[in-house]
Amino acid sequence: MSARRAALGFAALLLAGAPACTVIEERASGAGGAGGAAGADAGVSTCEGVTADGECDGTRVTFCSDGSIKTVDCAALDSTCAVTDGRADCVEPERASGCGALTALGTCNGAVLSYCDSSGLSSMPREIDCAAYGQRCDPTGATDGGAICVPQGPCPTGLDEDGACTGNQLSFCEAGEKYTFDCGVDQCDARGGFADCVVVGAADGCGGETAEGRCDASGKRVSCQGNQVATEDCALLGLECRSDGAGSMRCMPPTSCATSCPNGTSCQSGRCAPNQTPSAEWTFMVYVIGDNNLTADAWRDLNEMEVIGSTSAVSVLTEVEFSSTYDYAPQAAYRNAVYRMKVQKDDDSSAVTSLKTAEKVGTFKMSDPARISEFVRWGVEQHPAKRYALIMWNHGAGYKEAFIDDGGSLSLKELVTGVRDSGVHLDLIGFDACYMGMHEVGYAMRGLADVMVASEESEPGGGYPYDAVLSRLTGQPSMNAAGLGSVIVDEYTNDYGGNPYRSYDVTNSAIDLTRMEAFHAQLGSMVGALAQDLPGNRAGARAMADSSDILRFGQSEDADLGTVASTFRGLGSATAAAADDLSASLASSGLVIDSKAIGSVSAATGLAIFLPRPGGGYYEGAGAIEGYKSRVAFLPMQPWIGFASALVDASEPPPPPVGTGAVDQFRVALSWGDSPTSTKSGADLDLYVFEPDGDFGTPANGSTTSNGRLSGDSYDTDLPAESYELNPSHVPGTYIVLVHFYGGPPGEVAYPTLQVFRPDLPGGTRTLLRGKLKDRELVQIPMDDSKPLTQPIDGANFPGVLALDYSNLWYATTIEVK
């Protein structure tokens, strides 16, 4: 996610040559414990020769105070014991660079250039595979005498700009210099006297497969799309492979119901339809997976629903589970179970009154697809209506696993299964979750619902404004699914766009899923055109994929489809025509019913698609392409995968350095009060976690990053607390935790506390306070806006950041992740 908070003023983040750390650990017991005062060992009547200046005993400082011998364990304070000018004390250590002996000048290891990157808050080693750019590594070729990637050398006789293939290696000349590429996942081929790396399969086509397709023995559709073979699991998508009556075999609406229909309905023309026309217009179902760090937002959203409640025309139903790990007092009586209820109108904003009469349906993981099916079936059986909406509420991650439930999660395939097995065709499915506005998600849901509402970008923790949405729905209950989709899009963006206190970057779109198959065919046509224009233009295509002209989101491999089409139309004439058709579909075909975007993502056109940047990166320790392929194997995305593979460096990224104390899981929880012992505050603090792939998480921006999950923003939850939890799937490296004083009433101060949960810590947790060691005691220093840092953090002011010279910033800690 991009930097959205001008008040923080980040541009360059530097740690090189950092002075002593000012983040001090508080211990619940022992020396230097709560409050920072040095604790006393068992006292004796005299100091027996130990002086007030003290002495070092390993990591412990021993000294005389008030006639008793006292000790402080410096190691417990992340310090060492040292004697300076005859006085022993705990001395805070210098932060070591993560680069070891590696410098900014760099070194060469074959074609790989390694150097120390000090452009972030933490100095880290980086690597560039010069061979991926057709070059070699010169250890002294840079202007400062350091290592640099350079061309292979002067062009040999007989090699020109048209190039030549040697095995799967491509060589060509440019400006008199030789470049050599290993085509990797591409295929080196000479066509018409011009050699290039071309998309695998483009030369051979689809063999005997045709664009019209066929149904294989397992009921899957096999077809030729974009000059590549694509397969699609029709049954999984709630469809069946059969003739469309126009000469093609496709995944079509089923002629029989795949599962038993809910009570009160029967199978009619392949769908479960009501036996009698219901009198109610809508059943609006919200599946609230709140057993995670969004639990306070779940409580708040239920309260928003109660502002309107159910009416005779609209039934508002929820199934919800709260967290006991992320403690939130108002919901204390409803922890450790799942509750199902019909939401009634209630004017008490501090209580969810509907819970008092809710059904306690058990203790289970809500991230079980079968539980989604059961909830939807219950809603249809107990509250029949002419139309049905299902809102999935939780963290989202598009094509990846999402909908986190205290350690569990749902894959896109499992989400599809849960909805399909309910036997209910939804009029609308909405995702009150991050990054679900993807082509892959819409295509997967097209047989199960008519309209999808989803966001390309991360969502703020507050999610949908349910009071505003339900007010409009109950005021005009006869609206159709497209109308409700537009209402959600409008009220969501109005809520965040009209906030005078905070600026947000948000997107939301209502998509007509009945048009998704035709749109996917157009995408296949563009892939075929790209394959046609790619020979001779591979380097240009990679540059386009990495261009800032393509709008990307907090989940950085997600690219806005409209900007992808407009950028790649410059690749060649065939692509230009196909890209224009795709853009027209997004703009005017009716596929996008309504789309709104504000802030830095205002160019969003309604749907994103997976497109990793050239140079790779990794996902779950493997290539981004492999992670994607495994998750969308049931969809006919093979042509797009082939094109994306041609743009991504095939080499595996170097493993990150794993130092001592590296962990593969952690959680941080920030809280603050108006005094060192208070839990109440009118100040607004923001937790920032800077991630090693350049992303950063802060609840003010949304509840999900590419590596972690965040709680709701304190501004929305009215709680002086925010948190971040590392995803099971994450990029390894250094994670930097920073706290920012965003604002508050005049004169308001805040004393922050950061709990760090790590499996390698004694007891699993450590508490950090903002303060300094002074005369063997920890002195807490509050945060306020009396001396803010408003300029970008750079080498000139970073020592002051560490020394707490600025009142609005706290560099809390770094965590090495493997």
Side-chain angles (χ1 to χ4, degrees), residues 450-522:
D450 294 332
V451 173
M452 177 181 81
V453 179
S455 170
E456 294 179 78
E457 181 57 291
S458 173
E459 281 195 1
Y464 290 177
Y466 287 94
D467 48 356
V469 171
L470 292 174
S471 175
R472 291 183 61 181
L473 178 59
T474 56
Q476 188 184 347
S478 62
M479 69 174 64
N480 60 17
L484 178 56
S486 288
V487 164
I488 296 173
V489 170
D490 293 347
E491 295 299 337
Y492 173 82
T493 49
N494 288 343
D495 189 54
Y496 293 107
N499 191 317
Y501 182 65
R502 286 189 180 274
S503 60
Y504 291 93
D505 296 347
V506 295
T507 65
N508 216 342
S509 300
I511 305 298
D512 184 347
L513 297 179
T514 66
R515 299 176 185 268
M516 280 300 299
E517 184 165 3
F519 181 73
H520 183 79
Q522 287 182 315

Side-chain angles (χ1 to χ4, degrees), residues 42-64:
V44 293
S45 58
T46 68
C47 289
E48 301 175 352
V50 178
T51 68
D53 288 336
E55 58 190 35
C56 289
D57 179 13
T59 64
R60 301 168 68 87
V61 57
T62 304
F63 61 99
C64 182

Side-chain angles (χ1 to χ4, degrees), residues 30-367:
D41 284 349
V44 293
S45 58
T46 68
C47 289
E48 301 175 352
V50 178
T51 68
D53 288 336
E55 58 190 35
C56 289
D57 179 13
T59 64
R60 301 168 68 87
V61 57
T62 304
F63 61 99
C64 182
S65 177
D66 297 327
S68 300
I69 295 178
K70 297 182 179 179
T71 62
V72 175
D73 185 358
C74 299
L77 294 173
D78 232 2
S79 304
T80 59
C81 184
V83 178
T84 305
D85 296 329
R87 177 181 171 83
D89 209 342
C90 293
V91 177
E92 300 166 24
E94 295 284 334
R95 286 190 186 272
S97 165
C99 294
L102 193 62
T103 69
L105 294 178
T107 62
C108 291
N109 181 12
V112 177
L113 188 160
S114 303
Y115 68 100
C116 184
D117 180 7
S118 297
S119 62
L121 275 171
S122 178
S123 297
M124 296 182 63
R126 305 288 187 189
E127 291 188 346
I128 299 174
D129 184 359
C130 298
Y133 301 93
Q135 301 180 324
R136 61 183 177 85
C137 185
D138 184 335
T140 59
T143 55
D144 60 1
I148 190 173
C149 292
V150 298
Q152 298 282 350
C155 278
T157 302
L159 185 66
D160 57 21
E161 62 184 11
D162 289 338
C165 291
T166 304
N168 206 39
Q169 280 198 332
L170 167 70
S171 297
F172 60 88
C173 287
E174 187 173 293
E177 300 283 354
K178 178 185 176 183
Y179 293 81
T180 299
F181 290 87
D182 183 344
C183 288
V185 295
D186 296 349
Q187 174 182 312
C188 192
D189 191 19
R191 303 180 183 181
F194 191 95
D196 202 357
C197 297
V198 298
V199 177
V200 175
D204 302 326
C206 297
E209 305 298 344
T210 65
E212 291 73 22
R214 63 180 175 88
C215 300
D216 70 7
S218 63
K220 294 180 180 178
R221 181 186 185 231
V222 184
S223 63
C224 181
Q225 299 180 22
N227 211 30
Q228 293 193 50
V229 177
T231 60
E232 182 176 7
D233 193 338
C234 300
L236 178 67
L237 302 174
L239 302 168
E240 63 181 30
C241 189
R242 57 185 175 85
S243 173
D244 65 356
S248 294
M249 306 299 287
R250 299 190 180 277
C251 291
M252 301 288 291
T255 54
S256 61
C257 298
T259 186
S260 62
C261 291
N263 294 332
T265 69
S266 58
C267 187
Q268 302 174 32
S269 301
R271 290 188 181 181
C272 297
N275 296 327
Q276 297 180 343
T277 302
S279 59
E281 295 288 339
W282 278 95
T283 294
F284 187 89
M285 297 170 280
V286 189
Y287 194 71
V288 183
I289 308 177
D291 189 5
N292 49 63
N293 58 353
L294 294 179
T295 191
D297 292 288
W299 185 267
R300 193 194 69 163
D301 280 353
L302 291 172
N303 260 303
E304 288 180 352
M305 296 177 208
E306 284 193 333
V307 170
I308 306 302
S310 299
T311 66
S312 60
V314 178
S315 296
V316 182
L317 313 178
T318 67
E319 186 158 305
V320 61
E321 183 179 18
F322 299 110
S323 173
S324 56
T325 302
Y326 295 90
D327 197 18
Y328 184 49
Q331 66 195 29
Y334 303 100
R335 298 186 188 120
N336 303 316
V338 178
Y339 291 85
R340 179 183 292 167
M341 60 187 171
K342 182 177 183 179
V343 177
Q344 304 293 352
K345 182 177 175 58
D346 169 32
D347 295 327
D348 185 353
S349 62
S350 64
V352 180
T353 307
S354 302
L355 278 167
K356 295 180 180 179
T357 56
E359 177 188 2
K360 185 177 179 179
V361 291
T363 55
F364 49 78
K365 294 285 187 187
M366 291 186 71
S367 56

Side-chain angles (χ1 to χ4, degrees), residues 601-666:
V601 291
S602 59
T605 56
L607 280 174
I609 195 167
F610 169 82
L611 184 65
R613 289 183 181 276
Y618 40 78
Y619 178 67
E620 291 187 346
I625 296 290
E626 294 305 313
Y628 178 72
K629 286 167 62 176
S630 67
R631 287 162 175 79
V632 299
F634 62 100
L635 299 174
M637 297 304 299
Q638 292 85 359
W640 185 256
I641 292 169
F643 168 66
S645 297
L647 302 181
V648 175
D649 182 5
S651 63
E652 286 293 317
V658 179
T660 59
V663 293
D664 59 6
Q665 58 178 287
F666 76 85

